[in-house]
Amino acid sequence: MSAAHLPPFERLTCLLHPLDPAELHGLLCGLLCADPTIDHDRWLALMREELAGGVPLTEPACELLASLLEFGAAQLNAPDGSVTPLLPDDEAPLRQRTDALGAWCQGLLYGLGLGEVERRGELSPDSREFLRDAAEIARVGFETDEASAADETAYAEVVEYLRVGLLMILEDLRHSAASRRPH
């Protein structure tokens, strides 16, 4: 399967159960920000250790996780900054999308921690503030089944904030890595 053509969120949910695709994508983004050299073998080992509790992953799950790695790396390296959290489609109920948004933030924070981001470079005050915000967003919930236009707008703004915040962290860490290299 091509990394550019990952199955829809709902199909990923079924194929990766009990792993959450949004949380996995967030975790992958955090890992790739902290360590852009993560390879297929290390990614799958982390998935077995951290998320599957050491249980062997099925071949289809390994192939899907490998595609997710390719997809995430391509997103983060896109020159147009088009990375965006992997979330349910806009037709999904807002409650489901909001839960996925929180899971993505949890994954991002976990991935940055696993990648030992604090040892990899200096984050700007804006990036540190973004991480505090992401921790708050990870605890979000939407209590009603009906979403207003204002709720939908707020959701879209939060998704955009997360996208931009992720790019900020990536830029900070790339800048730190470049300044540490011998010239």
Side-chain angles (χ1 to χ4, degrees):
M1 164 185 3
S2 165
H5 296 94
L6 278 174
F9 187 88
E10 291 74 22
R11 183 158 175 251
L12 282 172
T13 301
C14 293
L15 291 171
L16 292 173
H17 182 77
L19 306 176
D20 181 284
E23 185 174 9
L24 279 176
H25 185 254
L27 183 145
L28 177 60
C29 288
L31 278 171
L32 287 170
C33 281
D35 183 4
T37 66
I38 191 166
D39 65 7
H40 173 269
D41 292 337
R42 179 141 193 286
W43 168 240
L44 290 180
L46 282 168
M47 293 302 92
R48 275 190 292 279
E49 294 166 21
E50 298 295 329
L51 300 178
V55 174
L57 298 168
T58 65
E59 188 60 32
C62 286
E63 289 172 8
L64 191 56
L65 288 167
S67 292
L68 186 61
L69 174 63
E70 292 173 27
F71 175 76
Q75 277 192 313
L76 286 174
N77 291 315
D80 63 357
S82 61
V83 66
T84 189
L86 180 61
L87 301 167
D89 292 334
D90 289 341
E91 292 77 39
L94 187 59
R95 177 184 293 204
Q96 180 185 358
R97 289 181 284 142
T98 304
D99 289 346
L101 200 64
W104 187 88
C105 288
Q106 288 174 331
L108 175 69
L109 296 169
Y110 190 55
L112 289 167
L114 277 177
E116 299 177 335
V117 71
E118 68 281 349
R119 292 181 4 158
R120 305 242 181 217
E122 184 66 31
L123 293 178
S124 68
D126 287 341
S127 287
R128 287 193 301 272
E129 180 180 346
F130 166 74
L131 291 177
R132 286 189 295 274
D133 292 343
E136 288 298 315
I137 294 167
R139 293 190 282 271
V140 299
F142 193 73
E143 300 301 323
T144 182
D145 290 328
E146 298 300 316
S148 69
D151 294 332
E152 291 290 343
T153 299
Y155 172 82
E157 289 173 357
V158 171
V159 171
E160 179 63 12
Y161 177 69
L162 293 175
R163 188 188 77 73
V164 171
L166 177 61
L167 290 171
M168 236 178 5
I169 289 172
L170 183 63
E171 183 61 30
D172 285 353
L173 293 172
R174 284 181 177 170
H175 180 60
S176 287
S179 66
R180 284 193 314 263
R181 279 189 216 119
H183 297 288

